[in-house]
Amino acid sequence: MSIGILVLAVLILAAAGFVLGRQRALATAGGDPRRLHSLPGHYGQFTAILAAVPALVLLAIWLLAQPLAIESRIAPMLTADSPADRSLAMADVRRISIGLDLLAVSDRLSEDAVASLSSETLAPRLRQVGTAVTQVTPEALSAAKAHRTMRHTLQIWMTAAVGLTAATCFVFALLRIRPDFRARNVSERFVMWLLIAASLVAVATTAGIVLSLVSETLHFFRIYPAREFFLSLTWNPQFRGGSDLGIWPLLWGTVYISIIALIVAVPIGLLTAVYLSEYASRRTRGWAKPAIEILAGIPTIVYGLFALITVGPALRDWFAQPLGLGASSSSVMTAGLVMGIMLIPFVSSLSDDIINAVPQSLRDGSYGLGATQSETVKLVILPAALPGIVGAVLLAASRAIGETMIVVLGAGAAAKLSLNPFEAMTTVTVKIVSQLTGDTEFASPETLVAFALGLTLFVMTLVLNVLALYIVRKYREQYE
Amino acid sequence: MDDIRFAERDLCVTEAKIAARDVQVHYGTNHALKDVNVDILEQTVTAFIGPSGCGKSTFLRCLNRMNDTIPGCRIEGRLTLDGQDIYDPRVDPVQLRAKVGMVFQKPNPFPKSIYDNVAYGPRIHGLTRNKAELDEIVEKSLRRAALWEEAKDRLASPGTGLSGGQQQRLCIARAIATSPEVLLMDEPCSALDPIATAQIEELIDELRAQFSVVIVTHSMQQAARVSQRTAFFHLGRLVEYGETGQIFTNPHDPRTESYISGRIG
Ligand SMILES: Nc1ncnc2c1ncn2[C@@H]1O[C@H](COP(=O)(O)OP(=O)(O)OP(=O)(O)O)[C@@H](O)[C@H]1O
Ligand SMILES: [Mg+2]
């Protein structure tokens, strides 16, 4: 039985369990639901949960453990010199073993026929059924046959074990149903565990990302001195080793571009938010707010194109060249301006929400004292909303730091430490991409430095986010 | 009604400060105030009484155009301050509100220091020339609102950190700091203990020398104690308006009588 059908069978049993559990609960209570501890539906849920969950958990564990068990038995049959060779050979065996299955179906081979297949003519036949193997050694073939038999036997055992678990738990659940049985508590607890499991996925992913970054970074620092990385002022990776991998030019580019972006985005976004929430009529707000939010929906690569084709050349022709500051159309200024435009809706819609959260009674208080609208905004609303706005700005900053596409197309890829805003520079994110997609060997410092850069970036944005959350939370407490 | 003590009714002024003629207020489709006619006199305390939801706050907000900030609120009829139409397009609501101050039903201190809360009005209207004058206004206003003793050591701490009753007195101090000509007070004593209430009532009586005061209250005793004129609102209509003593002892309208004696409301 295939796994899909097995899962389906368990689910059907669970559905039947729901109906039967409900009926049985009503029956034990003599048809009067008020005599039950929980609602009849809860007894149904209880039976369904017991029928499905243990069986499906068992299935998941089995599916994880089965390949490990089989491969540890197969491994001694293969001769290999290094762990890398062994894993390659094992991958071959796995492919051939699956290929044999396909062959057996397409050529209608009996089990004996499969067992007596020989390795000489096998490769082309396997390729015909869609298995990518170049050659089949006798050793690999015998291992693959063993692999296949074990798979089949274990599969039968698995079906039996899962089916038996589901059936046992199902019957057990039905027997437990009695009017005073607390089925609601069971189903409530199940919901709780479901929610915990869902949130664990996010937490575990974050932890996994951090762990993999940390382990590769440690690997990097073992082959490249940390002092150099943190203190050197040059970034000059070489293909043949002997590179300078100082983080400062990249960090400077990141910070410089982000600052320009924030200088553009924060005032414009904030003033937009004030207009929308305080001055605009309901009609204007109705179309202006979505129009601005469209900006937020544009993919950053499109902003990058805008920077490359329009903003960059315009800045070069009108500012950089007349002022004698450079002749490059990729510049910090280009990337910063365009990134600033990208961040405007981000700042404005966050600030708009925050300004709207300032209670109307404060506005009334100010107007009631004879304040004008701009005095009210300046003296009451913005100070009251300030912590929240700071939080919004920090969130925008962490987006600016993580932005890649606009920088590649707008600012170029030259790592430089310079104050001239019309010079091409680059950022941490761009270099992560170019180091990882280069031709160098994976274990070289030139590639692994990407992880150290990534971790640095992660720490920077983490600090900004924590700061932002802290400030936003403090702000929330004010009106409680 | 015998236990009610009345304010002395030495009404020397009969000039109308604010006059309302056939005022109608709609909130969208809700006709909240119907045909209100009233003259609010100079140097007089006028009390608005009536059951909850009858439109007292609504009428109060008409008097300094605070209803302008509510979307969907429409006002018809004629309202004048010193003979000048309040809703004339040439009238600047900002100037009007500087003249007609308001204390709101719910205390709404700004999230600023106690000092800055009180100094807010004088600052935006440029009432003082230097810090010493401002300090003086702040101290005087806080004293008159009976908050000085509690607040003098913590003028720099936020006004939102005060207790509900202290916040209410802070809002009163904030409103009188701008020296308005008319002061509208929407249930100014709703969160105050009897001592603070007595102090505020004393303040109201004292303010009468310079301002007209309009006070909304749910306490009959308070209306009787502080006001010279009383208006009784019911279901969006001004049912009866007259001298406080007459309203409480000899109401003309049966609805007024039953409200005062506690039968409706
Ligand atoms: N902002 C508003 N929007 C819509 N309707 C309102 C608004 N404010 C008040 N109303 C309506 O107007 C009517 C009068 O309300 P108002 O606040 O003037 O009553 P009130 O006499 O002050 O009552 P209370 O003594 O409870 O404060 C009520 O029916 C209320 O529902
Ligand atoms: Mg009210």
Side-chain angles (χ1 to χ4, degrees):
Chain A
M1 209 193 296
S2 85
I3 292 161
I5 294 177
L6 185 58
V7 171
L8 195 68
V10 171
L11 290 182
I12 290 173
L13 185 68
F18 182 82
V19 177
L20 286 180
R22 225 188 105 94
Q23 276 173 1
R24 190 174 148 78
L26 276 175
T28 55
D32 180 5
R34 275 172 306 176
R35 286 188 47 217
L36 294 170
H37 167 270
S38 317
L39 291 174
H42 287 131
Y43 292 92
Q45 282 168 20
F46 166 70
T47 320
I49 289 168
L50 266 199
V53 174
L56 293 181
V57 169
L58 177 69
L59 179 63
I61 294 173
W62 193 297
L63 286 178
L64 286 178
Q66 180 175 308
L68 296 179
I70 295 180
E71 277 166 28
S72 73
R73 299 277 293 279
I74 298 284
M77 299 172 68
L78 299 170
T79 50
D81 305 330
S82 68
D85 273 357
R86 181 175 301 270
S87 76
L88 278 180
M90 190 57 83
D92 262 346
V93 169
R94 239 176 281 142
R95 265 202 302 273
I96 298 170
S97 151
I98 304 282
L100 288 177
D101 273 350
L102 297 173
L103 202 61
V105 174
S106 75
D107 294 4
R108 294 206 192 74
L109 298 179
S110 67
E111 281 307 304
D112 292 339
V114 173
S116 61
L117 281 172
S118 75
S119 60
E120 284 101 54
T121 55
L122 198 54
R125 288 178 71 187
L126 282 177
R127 278 199 291 279
Q128 242 167 25
V129 293
T131 308
V133 286
T134 43
Q135 58 160 28
V136 180
T137 60
E139 181 193 282
L141 180 63
S142 62
K145 282 178 184 162
H147 186 275
R148 181 168 171 271
T149 339
M150 259 189 255
R151 248 183 333 116
H152 287 192
T153 334
L154 281 176
Q155 188 114 12
I156 292 166
W157 278 108
M158 178 182 79
T159 310
V162 169
L164 198 66
T165 314
T168 322
C169 293
F170 175 81
V171 173
F172 173 73
L174 281 182
L175 292 179
R176 284 295 299 273
I177 290 177
R178 225 166 287 129
D180 59 354
F181 177 69
R182 306 183 170 196
R184 187 179 54 226
N185 305 23
V186 176
S187 85
E188 287 295 313
R189 210 167 315 135
F190 171 73
V191 168
M192 183 186 83
W193 282 107
L194 199 68
L195 299 179
I196 289 178
S199 27
L200 271 184
V201 170
V203 173
T205 316
T206 315
I209 291 173
V210 174
L211 279 183
S212 74
L213 272 181
V214 167
S215 81
E216 294 297 340
T217 305
L218 288 179
H219 196 167
F220 168 68
F221 284 137
R222 236 174 279 134
I223 53 180
Y224 189 85
R227 251 179 68 93
E228 288 278 301
F229 178 72
F230 286 115
L231 298 178
S232 160
L233 295 182
T234 40
W235 171 269
N236 183 18
Q238 303 280 325
F239 286 116
R240 289 189 201 83
S243 319
D244 273 321
L245 300 173
I247 193 178
W248 283 106
L250 308 183
L251 222 48
W252 170 242
T254 301
V255 170
Y256 201 0
I257 293 177
S258 305
I259 287 177
I260 293 181
L262 290 179
I263 288 177
V264 173
V266 171
I268 298 183
L270 200 55
L271 295 180
T272 309
V274 169
Y275 171 73
L276 282 182
S277 56
E278 296 297 313
Y279 287 80
S281 68
R282 222 182 255 190
R283 280 250 308 283
T284 320
R285 193 182 150 85
W287 63 262
K289 202 170 149 81
I292 292 170
E293 272 158 11
I294 287 177
L295 269 184
I298 299 176
T300 56
I301 185 82
V302 176
Y303 281 106
L305 289 178
F306 178 56
L308 182 70
I309 290 171
T310 316
V311 179
L315 282 178
R316 180 193 56 198
D317 297 344
W318 293 355
F319 293 97
Q321 278 181 337
L323 293 173
L325 286 173
S328 148
S329 73
S330 312
S331 66
V332 171
M333 199 51 132
T334 310
L337 280 181
V338 174
M339 203 191 280
I341 296 170
M342 177 195 83
L343 291 178
I344 287 173
F346 194 71
V347 175
S348 80
S349 73
L350 277 178
S351 313
D352 185 48
D353 291 345
I354 291 158
I355 290 176
N356 274 325
V358 174
Q360 178 63 28
S361 67
L362 288 186
R363 292 184 183 88
D364 286 349
S366 175
Y367 292 136
L369 290 169
T372 64
Q373 202 160 15
S374 70
E375 282 167 344
T376 304
V377 168
K378 200 171 66 196
L379 297 174
V380 176
I381 294 174
L382 287 185
L386 190 66
I389 291 172
V390 171
V393 170
L394 290 181
L395 285 180
S398 70
R399 278 202 63 174
I401 289 172
E403 179 48 48
T404 315
M405 251 30 244
I406 295 177
V407 181
V408 178
L409 296 180
K416 245 175 273 173
L417 262 178
S418 157
L419 276 175
N420 180 358
F422 292 102
E423 191 138 7
M425 277 185 213
T426 196
T427 62
V428 176
T429 49
V430 172
K431 282 303 162 197
I432 291 178
V433 176
S434 63
Q435 292 313 109
L436 275 180
T437 51
D439 289 339
T440 44
E441 202 188 324
F442 188 79
S444 69
E446 284 74 24
T447 307
L448 286 175
V449 70
F451 294 98
L453 291 176
L455 192 63
T456 315
L457 212 57
F458 179 83
V459 170
M460 277 170 76
T461 48
L462 185 72
V463 168
L464 278 179
N465 278 319
V466 168
L467 209 62
L469 279 181
Y470 171 75
I471 292 172
V472 169
R473 192 166 307 153
K474 246 184 110 172
Y475 157 81
R476 286 232 182 87
E477 286 162 5
Q478 259 185 33
Y479 302 116
E480 268 162 15
Chain B
M1 284 294 107
D2 302 335
D3 55 335
I4 294 185
R5 177 171 57 84
F6 292 103
E8 319 95 81
R9 250 149 279 288
D10 46 350
L11 277 180
C12 44
V13 194
T14 48
E15 245 171 276
K17 180 78 181 167
I18 295 178
R21 293 290 170 269
D22 293 326
V23 172
Q24 321 278 338
V25 179
H26 298 260
Y27 290 111
T29 55
N30 176 10
H31 196 170
L33 270 187
K34 298 156 196 151
D35 305 321
V36 175
N37 287 291
V38 75
D39 281 335
I40 288 164
L41 305 181
E42 194 113 49
Q43 299 184 2
T44 307
V45 179
T46 308
F48 288 177
I49 58 172
S52 193
C54 66
K56 306 179 296 294
S57 301
T58 300
F59 186 60
L60 212 58
R61 295 169 63 97
C62 289
L63 302 181
N64 66 347
R65 292 187 58 171
M66 281 308 292
N67 283 332
D68 290 12
T69 62
I70 298 175
C73 178
R74 273 184 301 121
I75 293 148
E76 288 153 26
R78 191 174 153 79
L79 272 160
T80 57
L81 173 72
D82 294 326
Q84 159 93 57
D85 189 345
I86 292 178
Y87 284 87
D88 189 314
R90 276 168 304 176
V91 167
D92 182 2
V94 169
Q95 266 179 341
L96 173 75
R97 289 179 199 138
K99 277 196 266 181
V100 184
M102 181 156 195
V103 176
F104 292 84
Q105 184 161 0
K106 270 192 296 188
N108 53 352
F110 303 133
K112 298 170 176 291
S113 70
I114 295 176
Y115 183 96
D116 287 340
N117 261 284
V118 182
Y120 187 85
R123 275 190 182 137
I124 58 176
H125 297 303
L127 299 184
T128 55
R129 268 160 301 170
N130 51 43
K131 178 88 167 72
E133 277 184 31
L134 189 60
D135 287 348
E136 198 186 309
I137 291 192
V138 170
E139 178 175 345
K140 204 173 109 203
S141 309
L142 284 172
R143 272 192 199 285
R144 295 174 85 182
L147 190 60
W148 177 251
E149 288 306 318
E150 288 147 87
K152 66 181 177 204
D153 299 323
R154 45 191 287 203
L155 288 178
S157 55
T160 39
L162 294 173
S163 79
Q166 289 171 328
Q167 290 187 8
Q168 212 163 31
R169 281 174 281 156
L170 179 63
C171 292
I172 294 172
R174 193 174 69 181
I176 57 179
T178 44
S179 333
E181 295 170 20
V182 179
L183 185 61
L184 311 173
M185 304 176 103
D186 202 343
E187 298 182 34
C189 302
S190 58
L192 299 190
D193 61 73
I195 298 171
T197 303
Q199 284 168 319
I200 295 300
E201 286 175 4
E202 212 170 285
L203 165 74
I204 292 171
D205 202 52
E206 187 188 312
L207 292 175
R208 182 160 71 93
Q210 309 142 32
F211 315 146
S212 333
V213 180
V214 182
I215 173 171
V216 173
T217 175
H218 281 293
S219 152
M220 299 305 122
Q221 283 81 357
Q222 183 172 50
R225 279 195 303 265
V226 299
S227 72
Q228 287 81 48
R229 294 284 171 141
T230 298
F232 169 62
F233 287 81
H234 185 53
L235 299 177
R237 288 183 195 281
L238 177 64
V239 172
E240 193 165 354
Y241 175 57
E243 222 217 313
T244 302
Q246 172 253 314
I247 296 275
F248 279 95
T249 51
N250 183 22
H252 299 314
D253 197 288
R255 285 171 291 178
T256 318
E257 213 221 307
S258 37
Y259 180 70
I260 288 170
S261 53
R263 261 173 283 148
I264 55 173

